[in-house]
Amino acid sequence: MEILSPYFERNIRCHLCEQPFTTTKIRSRFVKLKGLDTDFCPLYISKELNPLIYNVHVCPHCGYSFTDDFYPKFIPAIKDKLALTLFERWTPKNYGGHRTIEESINTYKLAIFCGIEKKEKHIVIAGLYLRTAWLYRIMNNHEEEQRFLKLAVQEYVNAYLIEDVPRYGMSEVKLLYLIGELSRRTGQYIQAASYFSRVFQLRKHTIEKRIVEMARDQWYLTREAYKKSATN
């Protein structure tokens, strides 16, 4: 009997050059989750069988890199400019097979570049920054993790202020909590406390009671961390 591989190939069509290509994905039955970190980072039993590693699609033809969260259409002028920029900079490389965590980080950085140039929503760019930070966390690279968490929290704040975030699959309560938690993790304690407090204000209007409880727990941690930092 043939043993089923955890991996399979998914057919993708590039949004930019419209050429077809294949990319590797992990079958859901092989993905074993053991928990979530307080910023919703999924903790998997296997480092290798981590869907985050294969989240970004990288076109081997033109270098355009994107996720399923990207809007597939382009403003024509932006499309032409991005195509020219990638043509000048892209060194052909195929990320369609198995990836190391380092290679996966490279794909996220490519997607961040493409997303910014394409003017994707702040909520989409924030998710890319956050997932990059999570991968650096797996590698125990605290400095780079902190750098990308700070970038993520700023984009999430921008999303909260100017975008209709629930349209993109994230509730207001979850977004407020996430801004608070990322602020806490990056030492922005006053901002963290402010956003956790906003979660409390919505506690009677949400069914996400677990997130409200988490916000309360993290608010206490934030208060203690702030006191400690103030005395140093």
Side-chain angles (χ1 to χ4, degrees):
M1 178 182 292
E2 183 179 355
I3 298 176
L4 183 66
S5 171
Y7 304 96
F8 69 98
E9 288 188 345
R10 177 179 167 188
N11 295 317
I12 303 289
R13 184 170 294 276
C14 179
H15 295 169
L16 185 64
C17 72
E18 300 183 4
Q19 291 292 313
F21 64 96
T22 60
T23 191
T24 296
K25 294 292 181 182
I26 301 174
R27 300 182 196 278
S28 59
R29 72 182 70 178
F30 290 94
V31 177
K32 305 297 182 183
L33 187 69
K34 62 181 179 180
L36 293 174
D37 215 334
T38 53
D39 61 355
F40 304 119
C41 175
L43 306 175
Y44 296 104
I45 292 175
S46 170
K47 282 188 176 182
E48 290 75 26
L49 299 179
N50 183 338
L52 289 174
I53 296 174
Y54 299 96
N55 190 42
V56 177
H57 317 310
V58 181
C59 176
H61 307 290
C62 71
Y64 182 63
S65 305
F66 58 103
T67 70
D68 291 340
D69 295 325
F70 276 48
Y71 186 65
K73 305 294 184 181
F74 286 83
I75 297 173
I78 291 178
K79 183 174 184 178
D80 293 342
K81 180 183 177 182
L82 180 53
L84 179 60
T85 300
L86 288 174
F87 176 77
E88 293 174 344
R89 298 186 181 187
W90 173 243
T91 300
K93 181 175 175 61
N94 193 338
Y95 285 100
H98 291 186
R99 299 173 185 171
T100 64
I101 293 179
E102 291 87 347
E103 288 172 331
S104 181
I105 287 173
N106 289 340
T107 69
Y108 276 94
K109 290 178 178 179
L110 288 168
I112 289 166
F113 172 79
C114 291
I116 291 173
E117 291 293 310
K118 183 177 179 289
K119 303 189 185 304
E120 276 290 342
K121 297 292 184 182
H122 291 290
I123 194 72
V124 173
I125 303 299
L128 294 172
Y129 282 137
L130 182 57
R131 286 161 178 78
T132 306
W134 290 345
L135 291 173
Y136 275 121
R137 187 178 302 169
I138 293 172
M139 297 178 65
N140 295 314
N141 188 331
H142 181 70
E143 183 177 349
E144 285 299 290
E145 178 193 342
Q146 282 287 301
R147 183 165 78 91
F148 278 90
L149 287 178
K150 289 175 182 177
L151 291 167
V153 73
Q154 185 57 57
E155 285 298 298
Y156 279 122
V157 169
N158 291 338
Y160 175 67
L161 293 176
I162 66 177
E163 293 176 356
D164 184 9
V165 172
R167 287 183 57 192
Y168 304 100
M170 183 180 291
S171 69
E172 182 180 7
V173 165
K174 185 173 182 179
L175 176 59
L176 291 171
Y177 169 82
L178 190 54
I179 293 172
E181 177 59 8
L182 298 183
S183 299
R184 184 192 70 81
R185 283 174 172 264
T186 53
Q188 302 172 78
Y189 300 125
I190 294 176
Q191 176 170 282
S194 173
Y195 277 91
F196 287 140
S197 295
R198 296 185 197 192
V199 175
F200 304 153
Q201 292 169 11
L202 295 175
R203 64 187 181 278
K204 295 182 180 179
H205 307 285
T206 180
I207 61 172
E208 296 176 287
K209 303 303 182 184
R210 175 57 184 154
I211 292 180
V212 175
E213 293 174 5
M214 291 171 66
R216 184 178 294 108
D217 293 341
Q218 300 312 97
W219 185 88
Y220 284 116
L221 290 178
T222 301
R223 184 182 66 173
E224 294 306 310
Y226 178 73
K227 288 181 179 177
K228 184 176 181 180
S229 67
T231 58
N232 291 338

